[in-house]
Amino acid sequence: MRLSESDRLVLTLSCWDGLTTDEIAGVLRITPAAVRQRLRRARTRLRRPLDA
């Protein structure tokens, strides 16, 4: 897979495990704003090859 481990982790926690932004922030020990930014970037990276 072309996604980084960091991208896969945040997407897995969100989509597979169903955690909220605040819960992911607690797991990763980062702010909820950082989680939202990582999710947005990871989803964009995931979407690019699918749109091609």
Side-chain angles (χ1 to χ4, degrees):
M1 188 176 246
R2 294 182 181 178
L3 294 175
S4 69
E5 187 172 334
S6 174
D7 286 346
R8 289 192 305 268
L9 177 59
V10 74
L11 288 169
T12 299
L13 291 171
S14 175
C15 299
W16 187 265
D17 295 328
L19 298 182
T20 66
T21 302
D22 289 336
E23 291 168 332
I24 296 169
V27 170
L28 299 179
R29 296 181 182 215
I30 60 177
T31 66
V35 172
R36 286 189 296 275
Q37 184 176 36
R38 286 187 186 190
L39 277 170
R40 183 173 26 90
R41 288 179 180 167
R43 287 175 178 145
T44 298
R45 289 183 188 114
L46 178 62
R47 195 174 298 120
R48 282 183 193 146
L50 297 176
D51 288 343

